[in-house]
Amino acid sequence: EQGVKMALSGLGGDEVFAGYDIFKRMKKLEAQQWLNLAPLAIRKMGGALLQKFNPSVAADKIAMSLASDKMDFQHLYPIARQLFSESQIQLLLNTKGEINNPLIQLCEHIEQADLEMLSKVSAAEMTTYMQNVLLRDTDQMSMAHALEVRVPFLDHRLVEYVMGVGDNIKYPHTAKQLLTESLGDLIPRDVIDRPKMGFTFPWAVWMKNELKPFCEENLEALKNIEALNFNEVQNLWNRFQLGDPHITWSRMWPLVALGHWVKQNNVR
């Protein structure tokens, strides 16, 4: 309405300059390499105890991490970022045998690169969530309103440079410290130091109330997909409805979206 045809977006800042919690967690795990020296049986036992006394998705992921063959980027990043564990995926699929997991393949490829931990996480974040969700959403929503959105943080020269910067410079104390310090006093400290705020909506409440019929209708469409075990889909939905801390809305919504896509495209 104001005649603005182009806008600048900060998209990519978190991925390039280590702004998400996943960067801190992976860096912390890197500092705990001594855990690799502990026998696998003891690590598994510690994870099982944590799950027993603190049932949650976070505890499940820690237990899976402790049960990994090796606690490094290649093995731990997929656990941190996957919505469903390998065992849950096996239950959801009717197919037997080993699953060809593209995220694990990507991490194996990144592991071979001569990069420090934070840059490895950056590469994974940019290749998955940023590329497939954030950039796509930005493009679709802006084009729907004839608005050009530019993402200067993703200029390939900047990305290539920052990927080569050492972890001790990129994240010595706080998230995106390299970026904020490079700006000097251009941004007030109360803006830089304020807690990170996401865009979280009450999805769980909506899916159990106003969106419940929509969710159930689209989940029902998954009955037509032979590769999926619909009984397990229904089991997950029932557990979510009952408030099972292991089945969050973010695990159910992709299945709802898949069912919607199946229905819209008449997939059999």
Side-chain angles (χ1 to χ4, degrees), residues 8 38 45 111 127 135 139 161 186 194 197 202 204 264:
L8 295 177
M45 188 183 302
E111 186 68 83
T127 311
L135 282 173
D139 190 52
Y161 178 79
L186 291 174
R194 70 185 178 188
M197 295 180 291
Q264 291 289 98

Side-chain angles (χ1 to χ4, degrees), residues 88-119:
Q88 287 175 320
I89 293 172
Q90 289 280 11
L91 290 173
L92 277 167
L93 295 178
N94 280 325
T95 54
K96 303 299 180 184
E98 188 175 348
I99 299 169
N100 185 20
N101 189 321
L103 181 58
I104 291 176
Q105 291 180 327
L106 171 66
C107 289
E108 289 173 352
H109 178 68
I110 293 174
E111 186 68 83
Q112 297 170 9
D114 184 21
L115 296 171
E116 294 192 31
M117 175 61 83
L118 295 181
S119 291

Side-chain angles (χ1 to χ4, degrees), residues 218 256-267:
N218 288 297
V256 173
L258 177 61
H260 182 69
W261 179 82
V262 163
K263 194 171 61 176
Q264 291 289 98
N265 293 280
N266 198 29
V267 175

Side-chain angles (χ1 to χ4, degrees), residues 33 36 43 65 67-76:
Q33 288 297 296
N36 284 312
R43 285 196 270 127
S65 298
S68 295
D69 293 334
K70 189 176 180 183
M71 298 188 65
D72 58 7
F73 167 81
Q74 178 179 327
H75 291 85
L76 299 186

Side-chain angles (χ1 to χ4, degrees), residues 60 64 82-99 222 225-237 239 244 246-247 255:
D60 290 344
M64 284 187 283
Q82 284 184 194
L83 289 173
F84 293 107
S85 67
E86 295 296 295
S87 58
Q88 287 175 320
I89 293 172
Q90 289 280 11
L91 290 173
L92 277 167
L93 295 178
N94 280 325
T95 54
K96 303 299 180 184
E98 188 175 348
I99 299 169
L222 296 177
I225 306 302
E226 290 183 4
L228 281 176
N229 177 1
F230 184 73
N231 288 335
E232 181 58 22
V233 172
Q234 198 64 48
N235 175 48
L236 291 176
W237 176 247
R239 289 170 62 186
D244 188 329
H246 301 276
I247 311 299
L255 292 173

